[in-house]
Amino acid sequence: MSPDLPPVVPSVTADLVAALSPRLRKRLDAGVAKLLARSAVREGDTVRIAVDDGTDVVLRAPGGTVTDAEAIRCGCLLAPDCLHRAAAASAAPVAEEAPAPAEAMEAVEETGTAPTEPDAATAEQHDAARAVFDAAAAVLEAGTDGAGAVLQAELLHAAHTARLAGLPRASAAAVSVVAGVRAARSADPGHRLTDLAGSLAGVLGVAHRLPHATGPDLTALRGTVRQPYRPDGSLRLYGLFSEPVLTTTGYAGAVTWTADADGRLYTVSDVAPGGPARATGAADRTVRIGDTALTHRELSRAGLAVSGATVSPTGRLGAGAGVRAVRASGAAWRADPLDRLWGIPVAEQVTRALNGGQDLLFLEVTLAGTVRETTGDCLLADCAGLPLRLATAHEDPALPCRDNLRLLAAAGGGRLRIVARLAPGPCPRALLLATEHPTDPGARVDLGLDRLQRADLPAGAVAPPARTVPTGDEAPLHLLRRRVHQVVPGGRRVLALAGNRSGDGARLRRLGLATAGDLLDDLHAAAADRSRDPFGRLLPADTGRFARAWLAAAVYTDEVERALCAAAWGAAANEAAPPAAPGAS
């Protein structure tokens, strides 16, 4: 997905891909990759991409969005049913479509009297929900590794159908899955496997439940139109920290986090193909927004004044031609306005993260040495009376994360403010991203980019030996969770190739998690179920059965994990309510 291209509404992408011949469909993913490697030139509301020396693709976006297939034109001989137009639409961000008549009526009803609760979904809504479920199930079947532009277009077509049928929640949920799949395939720094798994579970859950719902439940599942909040005008931002990005798919770079005066978080990223050297080097590259000459490392400690700002729903700052940005003064962590981030109670921050909100935690801790785990040593800290484990965000030896953690272990006893990412589990645990300097509270250390020296530690500091701390009886829910998550990138085949894991199911039942054991066995059985015809040929896989088995396991795992994590951090279980499905109002 290219941020340089204007957003394209789902129906346009779906129509352009549907118009391709079977031969061109097979080449679509390669066409998208080739187009993304080309530079896009913006002239007003027109974006031009040179496919080769003699062929240009032109996207016209009056108002900033491509809303019609005729707005994407190509100069090649196969146009209009050419690969280039479909590739351009598939490479662009997904835009929201204008409300359909049924949705517009819902918006009017919201401002007046409450609408009558429907007794049942209409036949059109039944068909639309089934189309969304089948298309999302096909994406799950293939996994993000195999869900190329064609499968994405089929899900976008189902989203468009659902929108026309008056199902904005299912439509928005389907679009969010496409956005998540594209982020995963392009190694977007905002991509999180758990988030995409949640989006898939959300769209499958809505589409599965909707045909059987009535009354208030059906009203909630249908949803209402809601435009995402997109800040307009000027932003005054204060640098928080930078972190490296290093993926297993060959992408690397850096992301810098900033906050405004109200505590809302925004990110600026620089990620491209590369390895650890690019992850560390990106911190000293100029931020790609406006005319600022700040590097990521400098922005993490300075500030930014932005005019004409464009912001994605996840808080990522756009770098369009109309955006202007200049350097401004920063703020210390213990000074306004950043100080208020650490004033939010820990339980409230954890509840926010468990509800699908921002997963960064702003904590004040006292370091208490290291604790030994099977994957290596991690810091043990006291956080508001909770024994907190702080692990490294990256294990690659080219990054300073592990070395910094070892040195911090020797600075025990001091009270430090840190930024960490919640790691859900049965005991309080987080990934350490940034910290105050051990001997200079006015300074900060980005633990994935800056390298601490022994001279930075208090005089005479010596790291205590790692100790083993009992964690109690942890429910082995990971046996089910890792299978649920493995499916998202790898699809059905990762479980089909893994063979029978009945031993894990039996272990779960022995430890009192009978439901988890049964769900795991059902998931493996659904993955391996491939019937044959009388001639011994494999019949098409039952994608619906596999999707339902995966959905049941995902919902169960999420509920148990959230309850265990909330209890561990002291957040009331009833406060950590399940997050709404993507696109829900």
Side-chain angles (χ1 to χ4, degrees), residues 178-243:
V178 174
V181 169
R182 290 183 178 181
R185 291 173 64 89
S186 64
D188 188 290
H191 166 66
R192 297 285 183 273
L193 175 60
T194 54
D195 293 343
L196 181 52
S199 295
L200 276 165
V203 68
L204 288 170
V206 169
H208 175 70
R209 292 168 53 202
L210 201 146
H212 314 288
T214 59
D217 189 31
L218 176 56
T219 299
L221 289 171
R222 287 173 60 198
T224 55
V225 177
R226 182 182 67 177
Q227 296 293 326
Y229 174 68
R230 294 178 180 176
D232 189 17
S234 301
L235 292 173
R236 177 64 169 90
L237 304 176
Y238 301 85
L240 273 168
F241 72 99
S242 292
E243 63 172 317

Side-chain angles (χ1 to χ4, degrees), residues 286-294 304 321 323-327:
T286 302
V287 170
R288 294 184 295 180
I289 177 171
D291 300 322
T292 178
L294 282 170
L304 203 63
V323 179
R324 297 290 182 268
V326 295
R327 179 171 187 157

Side-chain angles (χ1 to χ4, degrees), residues 68-318:
D68 188 273
E70 295 301 318
I72 303 179
R73 298 186 178 183
C74 179
C76 75
L77 297 176
L78 294 179
D81 298 333
C82 65
L83 180 70
H84 303 129
R85 296 176 71 217
S90 300
V94 183
E96 289 199 352
E97 296 185 272
E103 298 173 341
M105 180 60 68
E106 279 190 335
V108 171
E109 290 175 339
E110 286 184 328
T111 63
T113 59
T116 304
E117 300 290 358
D119 292 329
T122 66
E124 183 184 13
Q125 290 174 339
H126 273 242
D127 293 342
R130 169 53 61 185
V132 169
F133 185 91
D134 290 345
V139 170
L140 182 71
E141 176 90 8
T144 57
D145 293 345
V150 172
L151 284 181
Q152 294 170 29
E154 291 174 356
L155 185 51
L156 289 176
H157 181 268
H160 177 64
T161 302
R163 184 187 67 84
L164 294 178
L167 301 177
R169 179 172 172 179
S171 176
V175 169
S176 74
V177 168
V178 174
V181 169
R182 290 183 178 181
R185 291 173 64 89
S186 64
D188 188 290
H191 166 66
R192 297 285 183 273
L193 175 60
T194 54
D195 293 343
L196 181 52
S199 295
L200 276 165
V203 68
L204 288 170
V206 169
H208 175 70
R209 292 168 53 202
L210 201 146
H212 314 288
T214 59
D217 189 31
L218 176 56
T219 299
L221 289 171
R222 287 173 60 198
T224 55
V225 177
R226 182 182 67 177
Q227 296 293 326
Y229 174 68
R230 294 178 180 176
D232 189 17
S234 301
L235 292 173
R236 177 64 169 90
L237 304 176
Y238 301 85
L240 273 168
F241 72 99
S242 292
E243 63 172 317
V245 175
L246 186 60
T247 74
T248 57
T249 54
Y251 285 79
V255 174
T256 298
W257 292 80
T258 65
D260 66 10
D262 295 322
R264 290 188 293 266
L265 302 182
Y266 302 84
T267 61
V268 182
S269 63
D270 179 359
V271 178
R278 193 183 192 285
T280 55
D284 295 314
R285 285 189 171 89
T286 302
V287 170
R288 294 184 295 180
I289 177 171
D291 300 322
T292 178
L294 282 170
T295 66
H296 282 268
R297 195 185 302 274
E298 291 170 337
L299 176 58
S300 69
R301 292 157 175 82
L304 203 63
V306 186
S307 62
T310 58
V311 184
S312 76
T314 59
R316 183 175 179 179
L317 289 171

Side-chain angles (χ1 to χ4, degrees), residues 319-340:
V323 179
R324 297 290 182 268
V326 295
R327 179 171 187 157
S329 59
W333 281 2
R334 294 183 180 269
D336 286 335
L338 299 183
D339 178 70
R340 68 187 63 184

Side-chain angles (χ1 to χ4, degrees), residues 362-385:
F362 300 89
L363 310 174
E364 194 155 349
V365 302
T366 300
L367 301 181
T370 56
V371 59
R372 179 163 289 115
E373 295 183 338
T374 55
T375 55
D377 294 348
C378 65
L379 283 176
L380 189 64
D382 176 85
C383 176

